PDB file of all heavy atoms in Angstrom:
ATOM      1  N   PRO A 227     123.429 105.334  64.536  1.00 92.00           N
ATOM      2  CA  PRO A 227     122.262 105.614  65.393  1.00 92.00           C
ATOM      3  C   PRO A 227     122.536 105.225  66.843  1.00 92.00           C
ATOM      4  O   PRO A 227     123.270 104.274  67.110  1.00 92.00           O
ATOM      5  CB  PRO A 227     121.158 104.739  64.785  1.00 92.00           C
ATOM      6  CG  PRO A 227     121.642 104.378  63.415  1.00 92.00           C
ATOM      7  CD  PRO A 227     123.141 104.338  63.504  1.00 92.00           C
ATOM      8  N   THR A 228     121.935 105.974  67.759  1.00 89.00           N
ATOM      9  CA  THR A 228     122.152 105.735  69.179  1.00 89.00           C
ATOM     10  C   THR A 228     120.963 104.995  69.787  1.00 89.00           C
ATOM     11  O   THR A 228     119.825 105.461  69.707  1.00 89.00           O
ATOM     12  CB  THR A 228     122.341 107.069  69.927  1.00 89.00           C
ATOM     13  OG1 THR A 228     123.498 107.725  69.403  1.00 89.00           O
ATOM     14  CG2 THR A 228     122.530 106.825  71.417  1.00 89.00           C
ATOM     15  N   VAL A 229     121.225 103.842  70.370  1.00 92.00           N
ATOM     16  CA  VAL A 229     120.195 103.106  71.110  1.00 92.00           C
ATOM     17  C   VAL A 229     120.362 103.444  72.585  1.00 92.00           C
ATOM     18  O   VAL A 229     121.431 103.200  73.159  1.00 92.00           O
ATOM     19  CB  VAL A 229     120.323 101.582  70.903  1.00 92.00           C
ATOM     20  CG1 VAL A 229     119.276 100.849  71.746  1.00 92.00           C
ATOM     21  CG2 VAL A 229     120.160 101.239  69.429  1.00 92.00           C
ATOM     22  N   PRO A 230     119.350 104.044  73.224  1.00 91.00           N
ATOM     23  CA  PRO A 230     119.490 104.433  74.632  1.00 91.00           C
ATOM     24  C   PRO A 230     119.834 103.228  75.510  1.00 91.00           C
ATOM     25  O   PRO A 230     119.268 102.146  75.332  1.00 91.00           O
ATOM     26  CB  PRO A 230     118.107 104.994  74.983  1.00 91.00           C
ATOM     27  CG  PRO A 230     117.505 105.373  73.674  1.00 91.00           C
ATOM     28  CD  PRO A 230     118.027 104.386  72.679  1.00 91.00           C
ATOM     29  N   PRO A 231     120.740 103.381  76.469  1.00 90.00           N
ATOM     30  CA  PRO A 231     121.130 102.248  77.309  1.00 90.00           C
ATOM     31  C   PRO A 231     120.128 101.931  78.412  1.00 90.00           C
ATOM     32  O   PRO A 231     120.164 100.846  78.989  1.00 90.00           O
ATOM     33  CB  PRO A 231     122.457 102.700  77.914  1.00 90.00           C
ATOM     34  CG  PRO A 231     122.339 104.188  77.963  1.00 90.00           C
ATOM     35  CD  PRO A 231     121.559 104.572  76.738  1.00 90.00           C
ATOM     36  N   MET A 232     119.238 102.880  78.715  1.00 92.00           N
ATOM     37  CA  MET A 232     118.273 102.621  79.772  1.00 92.00           C
ATOM     38  C   MET A 232     116.899 102.316  79.158  1.00 92.00           C
ATOM     39  O   MET A 232     116.539 102.878  78.125  1.00 92.00           O
ATOM     40  CB  MET A 232     118.159 103.810  80.731  1.00 92.00           C
ATOM     41  CG  MET A 232     117.512 105.064  80.161  1.00 92.00           C
ATOM     42  SD  MET A 232     118.531 105.943  78.946  1.00 92.00           S
ATOM     43  CE  MET A 232     119.830 106.566  79.991  1.00 92.00           C
ATOM     44  N   LEU A 233     116.162 101.405  79.788  1.00 95.00           N
ATOM     45  CA  LEU A 233     114.827 101.047  79.298  1.00 95.00           C
ATOM     46  C   LEU A 233     113.817 102.011  79.932  1.00 95.00           C
ATOM     47  O   LEU A 233     113.089 101.668  80.868  1.00 95.00           O
ATOM     48  CB  LEU A 233     114.519  99.591  79.640  1.00 95.00           C
ATOM     49  CG  LEU A 233     115.459  98.572  78.965  1.00 95.00           C
ATOM     50  CD1 LEU A 233     115.171  97.167  79.446  1.00 95.00           C
ATOM     51  CD2 LEU A 233     115.339  98.648  77.444  1.00 95.00           C
ATOM     52  N   ALA A 234     113.787 103.211  79.378  1.00 96.00           N
ATOM     53  CA  ALA A 234     112.965 104.272  79.976  1.00 96.00           C
ATOM     54  C   ALA A 234     111.483 103.936  79.930  1.00 96.00           C
ATOM     55  O   ALA A 234     110.741 104.230  80.866  1.00 96.00           O
ATOM     56  CB  ALA A 234     113.236 105.595  79.256  1.00 96.00           C
ATOM     57  N   ALA A 235     111.024 103.331  78.839  1.00 96.00           N
ATOM     58  CA  ALA A 235     109.593 103.021  78.727  1.00 96.00           C
ATOM     59  C   ALA A 235     109.206 101.881  79.661  1.00 96.00           C
ATOM     60  O   ALA A 235     108.193 101.953  80.367  1.00 96.00           O
ATOM     61  CB  ALA A 235     109.233 102.683  77.282  1.00 96.00           C
ATOM     62  N   ASP A 236     109.996 100.823  79.672  1.00 97.00           N
ATOM     63  CA  ASP A 236     109.672  99.676  80.524  1.00 97.00           C
ATOM     64  C   ASP A 236     109.649 100.054  82.003  1.00 97.00           C
ATOM     65  O   ASP A 236     108.721  99.698  82.737  1.00 97.00           O
ATOM     66  CB  ASP A 236     110.699  98.562  80.325  1.00 97.00           C
ATOM     67  CG  ASP A 236     110.467  97.773  79.043  1.00 97.00           C
ATOM     68  OD1 ASP A 236     109.430  97.997  78.388  1.00 97.00           O
ATOM     69  OD2 ASP A 236     111.320  96.948  78.697  1.00 97.00           O
ATOM     70  N   ILE A 237     110.684 100.770  82.442  1.00 97.00           N
ATOM     71  CA  ILE A 237     110.813 101.076  83.869  1.00 97.00           C
ATOM     72  C   ILE A 237     110.143 102.406  84.206  1.00 97.00           C
ATOM     73  O   ILE A 237     109.296 102.479  85.097  1.00 97.00           O
ATOM     74  CB  ILE A 237     112.296 101.084  84.277  1.00 97.00           C
ATOM     75  CG1 ILE A 237     112.905  99.696  84.056  1.00 97.00           C
ATOM     76  CG2 ILE A 237     112.457 101.524  85.725  1.00 97.00           C
ATOM     77  CD1 ILE A 237     114.402  99.613  84.281  1.00 97.00           C
ATOM     78  N   GLY A 238     110.527 103.472  83.486  1.00 97.00           N
ATOM     79  CA  GLY A 238     109.971 104.795  83.777  1.00 97.00           C
ATOM     80  C   GLY A 238     108.554 104.984  83.278  1.00 97.00           C
ATOM     81  O   GLY A 238     107.843 105.871  83.745  1.00 97.00           O
ATOM     82  N   GLY A 239     108.131 104.156  82.318  1.00 97.00           N
ATOM     83  CA  GLY A 239     106.769 104.270  81.798  1.00 97.00           C
ATOM     84  C   GLY A 239     105.867 103.141  82.246  1.00 97.00           C
ATOM     85  O   GLY A 239     104.641 103.245  82.147  1.00 97.00           O
ATOM     86  N   GLY A 240     106.467 102.034  82.732  1.00 98.00           N
ATOM     87  CA  GLY A 240     105.684 100.881  83.152  1.00 98.00           C
ATOM     88  C   GLY A 240     105.782 100.610  84.634  1.00 98.00           C
ATOM     89  O   GLY A 240     104.832 100.815  85.397  1.00 98.00           O
ATOM     90  N   SER A 241     106.964 100.183  85.100  1.00 98.00           N
ATOM     91  CA  SER A 241     107.119  99.747  86.496  1.00 98.00           C
ATOM     92  C   SER A 241     106.813 100.855  87.493  1.00 98.00           C
ATOM     93  O   SER A 241     106.005 100.675  88.422  1.00 98.00           O
ATOM     94  CB  SER A 241     108.548  99.248  86.728  1.00 98.00           C
ATOM     95  OG  SER A 241     108.915  98.271  85.797  1.00 98.00           O
ATOM     96  N   LEU A 242     107.471 102.000  87.329  1.00 98.00           N
ATOM     97  CA  LEU A 242     107.317 103.066  88.326  1.00 98.00           C
ATOM     98  C   LEU A 242     105.914 103.669  88.333  1.00 98.00           C
ATOM     99  O   LEU A 242     105.328 103.845  89.412  1.00 98.00           O
ATOM    100  CB  LEU A 242     108.389 104.130  88.112  1.00 98.00           C
ATOM    101  CG  LEU A 242     109.832 103.648  88.341  1.00 98.00           C
ATOM    102  CD1 LEU A 242     110.834 104.754  88.020  1.00 98.00           C
ATOM    103  CD2 LEU A 242     110.027 103.179  89.783  1.00 98.00           C
ATOM    104  N   PRO A 243     105.320 103.998  87.164  1.00 98.00           N
ATOM    105  CA  PRO A 243     103.938 104.481  87.200  1.00 98.00           C
ATOM    106  C   PRO A 243     102.963 103.449  87.769  1.00 98.00           C
ATOM    107  O   PRO A 243     101.979 103.812  88.415  1.00 98.00           O
ATOM    108  CB  PRO A 243     103.626 104.788  85.731  1.00 98.00           C
ATOM    109  CG  PRO A 243     104.952 105.069  85.125  1.00 98.00           C
ATOM    110  CD  PRO A 243     105.885 104.125  85.818  1.00 98.00           C
ATOM    111  N   ALA A 244     103.232 102.160  87.515  1.00 98.00           N
ATOM    112  CA  ALA A 244     102.344 101.131  88.065  1.00 98.00           C
ATOM    113  C   ALA A 244     102.357 101.170  89.584  1.00 98.00           C
ATOM    114  O   ALA A 244     101.301 101.189  90.239  1.00 98.00           O
ATOM    115  CB  ALA A 244     102.770  99.752  87.567  1.00 98.00           C
ATOM    116  N   VAL A 245     103.546 101.207  90.178  1.00 98.00           N
ATOM    117  CA  VAL A 245     103.644 101.251  91.640  1.00 98.00           C
ATOM    118  C   VAL A 245     103.012 102.528  92.182  1.00 98.00           C
ATOM    119  O   VAL A 245     102.240 102.493  93.153  1.00 98.00           O
ATOM    120  CB  VAL A 245     105.112 101.137  92.087  1.00 98.00           C
ATOM    121  CG1 VAL A 245     105.239 101.371  93.590  1.00 98.00           C
ATOM    122  CG2 VAL A 245     105.680  99.772  91.721  1.00 98.00           C
ATOM    123  N   LEU A 246     103.326 103.653  91.567  1.00 98.00           N
ATOM    124  CA  LEU A 246     102.771 104.925  92.012  1.00 98.00           C
ATOM    125  C   LEU A 246     101.248 104.893  92.004  1.00 98.00           C
ATOM    126  O   LEU A 246     100.587 105.255  92.995  1.00 98.00           O
ATOM    127  CB  LEU A 246     103.274 106.054  91.101  1.00 98.00           C
ATOM    128  CG  LEU A 246     102.599 107.416  91.234  1.00 98.00           C
ATOM    129  CD1 LEU A 246     102.855 108.003  92.608  1.00 98.00           C
ATOM    130  CD2 LEU A 246     103.094 108.370  90.153  1.00 98.00           C
ATOM    131  N   ASN A 247     100.666 104.441  90.909  1.00 98.00           N
ATOM    132  CA  ASN A 247      99.209 104.444  90.786  1.00 98.00           C
ATOM    133  C   ASN A 247      98.553 103.387  91.670  1.00 98.00           C
ATOM    134  O   ASN A 247      97.448 103.604  92.182  1.00 98.00           O
ATOM    135  CB  ASN A 247      98.807 104.263  89.329  1.00 98.00           C
ATOM    136  CG  ASN A 247      98.954 105.547  88.534  1.00 98.00           C
ATOM    137  OD1 ASN A 247      98.065 106.391  88.537  1.00 98.00           O
ATOM    138  ND2 ASN A 247     100.089 105.715  87.874  1.00 98.00           N
ATOM    139  N   ILE A 248      99.219 102.256  91.867  1.00 98.00           N
ATOM    140  CA  ILE A 248      98.685 101.250  92.786  1.00 98.00           C
ATOM    141  C   ILE A 248      98.598 101.809  94.198  1.00 98.00           C
ATOM    142  O   ILE A 248      97.582 101.647  94.893  1.00 98.00           O
ATOM    143  CB  ILE A 248      99.556  99.978  92.748  1.00 98.00           C
ATOM    144  CG1 ILE A 248      99.294  99.189  91.450  1.00 98.00           C
ATOM    145  CG2 ILE A 248      99.284  99.089  93.960  1.00 98.00           C
ATOM    146  CD1 ILE A 248     100.300  98.077  91.201  1.00 98.00           C
ATOM    147  N   LEU A 249      99.646 102.497  94.631  1.00 98.00           N
ATOM    148  CA  LEU A 249      99.634 103.070  95.977  1.00 98.00           C
ATOM    149  C   LEU A 249      98.566 104.154  96.110  1.00 98.00           C
ATOM    150  O   LEU A 249      97.879 104.245  97.138  1.00 98.00           O
ATOM    151  CB  LEU A 249     101.010 103.628  96.319  1.00 98.00           C
ATOM    152  CG  LEU A 249     102.145 102.599  96.382  1.00 98.00           C
ATOM    153  CD1 LEU A 249     103.466 103.276  96.702  1.00 98.00           C
ATOM    154  CD2 LEU A 249     101.844 101.500  97.400  1.00 98.00           C
ATOM    155  N   LEU A 250      98.400 104.974  95.068  1.00 98.00           N
ATOM    156  CA  LEU A 250      97.339 105.984  95.100  1.00 98.00           C
ATOM    157  C   LEU A 250      95.961 105.330  95.130  1.00 98.00           C
ATOM    158  O   LEU A 250      95.056 105.792  95.840  1.00 98.00           O
ATOM    159  CB  LEU A 250      97.458 106.900  93.881  1.00 98.00           C
ATOM    160  CG  LEU A 250      98.684 107.821  93.841  1.00 98.00           C
ATOM    161  CD1 LEU A 250      98.751 108.550  92.501  1.00 98.00           C
ATOM    162  CD2 LEU A 250      98.650 108.829  94.985  1.00 98.00           C
ATOM    163  N   ALA A 251      95.805 104.247  94.367  1.00 98.00           N
ATOM    164  CA  ALA A 251      94.510 103.558  94.334  1.00 98.00           C
ATOM    165  C   ALA A 251      94.191 102.909  95.675  1.00 98.00           C
ATOM    166  O   ALA A 251      93.026 102.876  96.101  1.00 98.00           O
ATOM    167  CB  ALA A 251      94.508 102.509  93.222  1.00 98.00           C
ATOM    168  N   LEU A 252      95.224 102.401  96.348  1.00 98.00           N
ATOM    169  CA  LEU A 252      94.989 101.832  97.678  1.00 98.00           C
ATOM    170  C   LEU A 252      94.548 102.912  98.662  1.00 98.00           C
ATOM    171  O   LEU A 252      93.666 102.681  99.508  1.00 98.00           O
ATOM    172  CB  LEU A 252      96.266 101.156  98.193  1.00 98.00           C
ATOM    173  CG  LEU A 252      96.683  99.864  97.489  1.00 98.00           C
ATOM    174  CD1 LEU A 252      98.057  99.421  97.970  1.00 98.00           C
ATOM    175  CD2 LEU A 252      95.655  98.757  97.722  1.00 98.00           C
ATOM    176  N   ARG A 253      95.141 104.088  98.539  1.00 98.00           N
ATOM    177  CA  ARG A 253      94.724 105.200  99.400  1.00 98.00           C
ATOM    178  C   ARG A 253      93.298 105.621  99.079  1.00 98.00           C
ATOM    179  O   ARG A 253      92.491 105.876  99.984  1.00 98.00           O
ATOM    180  CB  ARG A 253      95.694 106.384  99.212  1.00 98.00           C
ATOM    181  CG  ARG A 253      95.374 107.585 100.076  1.00 98.00           C
ATOM    182  CD  ARG A 253      95.376 107.233 101.546  1.00 98.00           C
ATOM    183  NE  ARG A 253      95.210 108.410 102.374  1.00 98.00           N
ATOM    184  CZ  ARG A 253      94.639 108.400 103.567  1.00 98.00           C
ATOM    185  NH1 ARG A 253      94.157 107.265 104.071  1.00 98.00           N
ATOM    186  NH2 ARG A 253      94.540 109.505 104.284  1.00 98.00           N
ATOM    187  N   GLN A 254      92.970 105.651  97.783  1.00 98.00           N
ATOM    188  CA  GLN A 254      91.592 105.987  97.387  1.00 98.00           C
ATOM    189  C   GLN A 254      90.613 104.944  97.918  1.00 98.00           C
ATOM    190  O   GLN A 254      89.503 105.274  98.328  1.00 98.00           O
ATOM    191  CB  GLN A 254      91.513 106.060  95.850  1.00 98.00           C
ATOM    192  CG  GLN A 254      90.162 106.484  95.300  1.00 98.00           C
ATOM    193  CD  GLN A 254      89.886 107.960  95.501  1.00 98.00           C
ATOM    194  OE1 GLN A 254      90.746 108.694  96.007  1.00 98.00           O
ATOM    195  NE2 GLN A 254      88.711 108.402  95.122  1.00 98.00           N
ATOM    196  N   ARG A 255      91.042 103.676  97.917  1.00 98.00           N
ATOM    197  CA  ARG A 255      90.192 102.606  98.444  1.00 98.00           C
ATOM    198  C   ARG A 255      89.908 102.803  99.921  1.00 98.00           C
ATOM    199  O   ARG A 255      88.835 102.408 100.424  1.00 98.00           O
ATOM    200  CB  ARG A 255      90.867 101.247  98.194  1.00 98.00           C
ATOM    201  CG  ARG A 255      89.974 100.061  98.482  1.00 98.00           C
ATOM    202  CD  ARG A 255      90.676  98.751  98.200  1.00 98.00           C
ATOM    203  NE  ARG A 255      91.692  98.424  99.201  1.00 98.00           N
ATOM    204  CZ  ARG A 255      92.350  97.265  99.252  1.00 98.00           C
ATOM    205  NH1 ARG A 255      92.108  96.334  98.336  1.00 98.00           N
ATOM    206  NH2 ARG A 255      93.241  97.039 100.197  1.00 98.00           N
ATOM    207  N   ASP A 256      90.863 103.400 100.632  1.00 97.00           N
ATOM    208  CA  ASP A 256      90.630 103.693 102.045  1.00 97.00           C
ATOM    209  C   ASP A 256      89.407 104.593 102.222  1.00 97.00           C
ATOM    210  O   ASP A 256      88.678 104.493 103.211  1.00 97.00           O
ATOM    211  CB  ASP A 256      91.851 104.385 102.657  1.00 97.00           C
ATOM    212  CG  ASP A 256      93.053 103.464 102.777  1.00 97.00           C
ATOM    213  OD1 ASP A 256      92.859 102.228 102.757  1.00 97.00           O
ATOM    214  OD2 ASP A 256      94.177 103.981 102.900  1.00 97.00           O
ATOM    215  N   PHE A 257      89.192 105.499 101.265  1.00 98.00           N
ATOM    216  CA  PHE A 257      88.061 106.427 101.343  1.00 98.00           C
ATOM    217  C   PHE A 257      86.761 105.817 100.839  1.00 98.00           C
ATOM    218  O   PHE A 257      85.689 106.040 101.404  1.00 98.00           O
ATOM    219  CB  PHE A 257      88.360 107.691 100.543  1.00 98.00           C
ATOM    220  CG  PHE A 257      89.542 108.474 101.032  1.00 98.00           C
ATOM    221  CD1 PHE A 257      90.574 108.817 100.168  1.00 98.00           C
ATOM    222  CD2 PHE A 257      89.651 108.875 102.356  1.00 98.00           C
ATOM    223  CE1 PHE A 257      91.677 109.540 100.609  1.00 98.00           C
ATOM    224  CE2 PHE A 257      90.741 109.591 102.811  1.00 98.00           C
ATOM    225  CZ  PHE A 257      91.758 109.930 101.936  1.00 98.00           C
ATOM    226  N   THR A 258      86.866 105.056  99.724  1.00 98.00           N
ATOM    227  CA  THR A 258      85.647 104.589  99.046  1.00 98.00           C
ATOM    228  C   THR A 258      85.269 103.151  99.369  1.00 98.00           C
ATOM    229  O   THR A 258      84.115 102.756  99.187  1.00 98.00           O
ATOM    230  CB  THR A 258      85.820 104.705  97.530  1.00 98.00           C
ATOM    231  OG1 THR A 258      86.830 103.773  97.093  1.00 98.00           O
ATOM    232  CG2 THR A 258      86.217 106.115  97.126  1.00 98.00           C
ATOM    233  N   GLY A 259      86.256 102.355  99.794  1.00 97.00           N
ATOM    234  CA  GLY A 259      86.004 100.941 100.027  1.00 97.00           C
ATOM    235  C   GLY A 259      86.015 100.123  98.750  1.00 97.00           C
ATOM    236  O   GLY A 259      85.781  98.911  98.790  1.00 97.00           O
ATOM    237  N   GLU A 260      86.295 100.761  97.619  1.00 98.00           N
ATOM    238  CA  GLU A 260      86.247 100.065  96.334  1.00 98.00           C
ATOM    239  C   GLU A 260      87.580 100.154  95.604  1.00 98.00           C
ATOM    240  O   GLU A 260      88.322 101.133  95.732  1.00 98.00           O
ATOM    241  CB  GLU A 260      85.151 100.672  95.442  1.00 98.00           C
ATOM    242  CG  GLU A 260      83.757 100.531  96.011  1.00 98.00           C
ATOM    243  CD  GLU A 260      82.705 101.129  95.088  1.00 98.00           C
ATOM    244  OE1 GLU A 260      83.102 101.756  94.079  1.00 98.00           O
ATOM    245  OE2 GLU A 260      81.511 100.964  95.379  1.00 98.00           O
ATOM    246  N   GLY A 261      87.862  99.116  94.819  1.00 98.00           N
ATOM    247  CA  GLY A 261      89.049  99.112  93.981  1.00 98.00           C
ATOM    248  C   GLY A 261      88.788  99.857  92.682  1.00 98.00           C
ATOM    249  O   GLY A 261      87.797 100.580  92.540  1.00 98.00           O
ATOM    250  N   MET A 262      89.689  99.696  91.715  1.00 98.00           N
ATOM    251  CA  MET A 262      89.541 100.359  90.422  1.00 98.00           C
ATOM    252  C   MET A 262      90.450  99.694  89.413  1.00 98.00           C
ATOM    253  O   MET A 262      91.323  98.897  89.757  1.00 98.00           O
ATOM    254  CB  MET A 262      89.873 101.841  90.519  1.00 98.00           C
ATOM    255  CG  MET A 262      91.304 102.145  90.922  1.00 98.00           C
ATOM    256  SD  MET A 262      91.662 103.919  90.964  1.00 98.00           S
ATOM    257  CE  MET A 262      90.557 104.466  92.249  1.00 98.00           C
ATOM    258  N   HIS A 263      90.231 100.042  88.147  1.00 98.00           N
ATOM    259  CA  HIS A 263      91.073  99.533  87.056  1.00 98.00           C
ATOM    260  C   HIS A 263      92.043 100.627  86.647  1.00 98.00           C
ATOM    261  O   HIS A 263      91.637 101.712  86.226  1.00 98.00           O
ATOM    262  CB  HIS A 263      90.194  99.127  85.856  1.00 98.00           C
ATOM    263  CG  HIS A 263      90.964  98.447  84.766  1.00 98.00           C
ATOM    264  ND1 HIS A 263      90.428  98.224  83.519  1.00 98.00           N
ATOM    265  CD2 HIS A 263      92.226  97.935  84.738  1.00 98.00           C
ATOM    266  CE1 HIS A 263      91.326  97.602  82.763  1.00 98.00           C
ATOM    267  NE2 HIS A 263      92.420  97.419  83.479  1.00 98.00           N
ATOM    268  N   LEU A 264      93.328 100.340  86.752  1.00 98.00           N
ATOM    269  CA  LEU A 264      94.377 101.295  86.385  1.00 98.00           C
ATOM    270  C   LEU A 264      94.899 100.980  84.987  1.00 98.00           C
ATOM    271  O   LEU A 264      95.249  99.841  84.689  1.00 98.00           O
ATOM    272  CB  LEU A 264      95.530 101.220  87.387  1.00 98.00           C
ATOM    273  CG  LEU A 264      95.175 101.516  88.839  1.00 98.00           C
ATOM    274  CD1 LEU A 264      96.372 101.225  89.746  1.00 98.00           C
ATOM    275  CD2 LEU A 264      94.722 102.957  89.007  1.00 98.00           C
ATOM    276  N   ASP A 265      94.953 101.992  84.147  1.00 98.00           N
ATOM    277  CA  ASP A 265      95.404 101.856  82.759  1.00 98.00           C
ATOM    278  C   ASP A 265      96.775 102.514  82.623  1.00 98.00           C
ATOM    279  O   ASP A 265      96.883 103.727  82.488  1.00 98.00           O
ATOM    280  CB  ASP A 265      94.369 102.531  81.845  1.00 98.00           C
ATOM    281  CG  ASP A 265      94.747 102.498  80.374  1.00 98.00           C
ATOM    282  OD1 ASP A 265      95.739 101.827  80.023  1.00 98.00           O
ATOM    283  OD2 ASP A 265      94.044 103.147  79.569  1.00 98.00           O
ATOM    284  N   ILE A 266      97.838 101.706  82.673  1.00 98.00           N
ATOM    285  CA  ILE A 266      99.214 102.213  82.588  1.00 98.00           C
ATOM    286  C   ILE A 266      99.737 101.969  81.176  1.00 98.00           C
ATOM    287  O   ILE A 266      99.924 100.824  80.761  1.00 98.00           O
ATOM    288  CB  ILE A 266     100.137 101.511  83.607  1.00 98.00           C
ATOM    289  CG1 ILE A 266      99.561 101.603  85.029  1.00 98.00           C
ATOM    290  CG2 ILE A 266     101.554 102.088  83.531  1.00 98.00           C
ATOM    291  CD1 ILE A 266      99.380 103.004  85.535  1.00 98.00           C
ATOM    292  N   ALA A 267      99.956 103.051  80.437  1.00 98.00           N
ATOM    293  CA  ALA A 267     100.477 102.962  79.067  1.00 98.00           C
ATOM    294  C   ALA A 267     101.926 103.437  79.065  1.00 98.00           C
ATOM    295  O   ALA A 267     102.210 104.589  79.384  1.00 98.00           O
ATOM    296  CB  ALA A 267      99.637 103.812  78.119  1.00 98.00           C
ATOM    297  N   MET A 268     102.842 102.548  78.703  1.00 98.00           N
ATOM    298  CA  MET A 268     104.263 102.893  78.750  1.00 98.00           C
ATOM    299  C   MET A 268     104.606 104.057  77.821  1.00 98.00           C
ATOM    300  O   MET A 268     105.460 104.884  78.142  1.00 98.00           O
ATOM    301  CB  MET A 268     105.106 101.665  78.408  1.00 98.00           C
ATOM    302  CG  MET A 268     105.071 100.607  79.501  1.00 98.00           C
ATOM    303  SD  MET A 268     106.107  99.163  79.139  1.00 98.00           S
ATOM    304  CE  MET A 268     104.939  98.143  78.250  1.00 98.00           C
ATOM    305  N   SER A 269     103.928 104.143  76.693  1.00 97.00           N
ATOM    306  CA  SER A 269     104.217 105.234  75.752  1.00 97.00           C
ATOM    307  C   SER A 269     103.780 106.581  76.304  1.00 97.00           C
ATOM    308  O   SER A 269     104.390 107.617  75.985  1.00 97.00           O
ATOM    309  CB  SER A 269     103.550 104.966  74.397  1.00 97.00           C
ATOM    310  OG  SER A 269     102.169 104.728  74.552  1.00 97.00           O
ATOM    311  N   ASP A 270     102.760 106.613  77.144  1.00 97.00           N
ATOM    312  CA  ASP A 270     102.292 107.889  77.710  1.00 97.00           C
ATOM    313  C   ASP A 270     103.417 108.597  78.469  1.00 97.00           C
ATOM    314  O   ASP A 270     103.605 109.812  78.353  1.00 97.00           O
ATOM    315  CB  ASP A 270     101.122 107.659  78.672  1.00 97.00           C
ATOM    316  CG  ASP A 270      99.815 107.357  77.957  1.00 97.00           C
ATOM    317  OD1 ASP A 270      99.794 107.333  76.715  1.00 97.00           O
ATOM    318  OD2 ASP A 270      98.810 107.135  78.665  1.00 97.00           O
TER     319      ASP A 270
END
């Protein structure tokens, strides 16, 4: 069996989507003045 060498879920499903969505939420906050709850699921 092959175990992938890259942690695609941790980094590509967790770290990178988290940063992307945080930056989008900050931009949205510029318009609304309010924060939000971001739901980042690594399996998604």
Side-chain angles (χ1 to χ4, degrees):
T228 298
V229 177
M232 69 289 291
L233 297 175
D236 282 352
I237 298 174
S241 307
L242 295 176
V245 172
L246 169 64
N247 282 276
I248 285 169
L249 297 179
L250 292 173
L252 290 172
R253 181 58 174 151
Q254 184 73 3
R255 190 179 73 173
D256 291 340
F257 298 126
T258 67
E260 297 181 353
M262 62 178 63
H263 187 192
L264 301 173
D265 178 8
I266 306 300
M268 290 182 271
S269 54
D270 285 359

